[in-house]
Amino acid sequence: YHVPIHYSPLTVDDLETQFQSGGIPVVLISSYRIYQEKLPHWMVVTGFDERYIYVHDSFIDEKTGKSVTDVMNLPILRSEFERMARYGKAGQKAALIIKRKQAK
């Protein structure tokens, strides 16, 4: 499929640049800061402002009464997201940037 792969970490500013150019970042995070579980978890970035990065979380904890709208456009402080966007003792980072295929 000729999908380009880049081996370099992306900062929140890098993710915002990709988002502003039409990309949809999907970022691997550690779920510990949200769910107190040491598990990797993917979140879709839905927006940015000067203080927050907004994400959509695919996990709906129905046991605690959460609904779909509770996990849409969740605001997370930029500095907090930087800490969340790594996993494990080695601090592994992964992100997918989904973009429309450009016309030739």
Side-chain angles (χ1 to χ4, degrees):
Y1 290 104
H2 306 289
V3 175
I5 298 174
H6 303 277
Y7 294 98
S8 61
L10 295 172
T11 65
V12 168
D13 289 338
D14 295 332
L15 294 171
E16 184 173 12
T17 298
Q18 291 292 330
F19 185 82
Q20 296 300 335
S21 70
I24 301 171
V26 181
V27 181
L28 182 70
I29 66 153
S30 169
S31 62
Y32 187 76
R33 292 183 182 272
I34 297 175
Y35 302 112
Q36 287 68 53
E37 298 279 341
K38 292 184 178 182
L39 300 170
H41 184 62
W42 292 95
M43 288 190 161
V44 177
V45 175
T46 59
F48 294 84
D49 67 22
E50 60 279 344
R51 288 191 67 203
Y52 296 99
I53 181 171
Y54 296 86
V55 299
H56 177 79
D57 187 356
S58 60
F59 177 67
I60 303 167
D61 192 356
E62 294 173 345
K63 293 177 193 171
T64 62
K66 299 287 184 185
S67 69
V68 172
T69 57
D70 292 320
V71 295
M72 294 172 58
N73 296 316
L74 297 171
I76 300 173
L77 286 170
R78 287 173 172 258
S79 58
E80 183 68 16
F81 190 84
E82 286 278 4
R83 287 188 288 274
M84 291 170 61
R86 62 186 70 163
Y87 181 73
K89 290 181 181 182
Q92 297 176 357
K93 292 185 171 192
L96 305 170
I97 306 297
I98 301 169
K99 290 186 176 182
R100 289 185 186 261
K101 187 174 181 177
Q102 295 180 348
K104 293 184 179 182

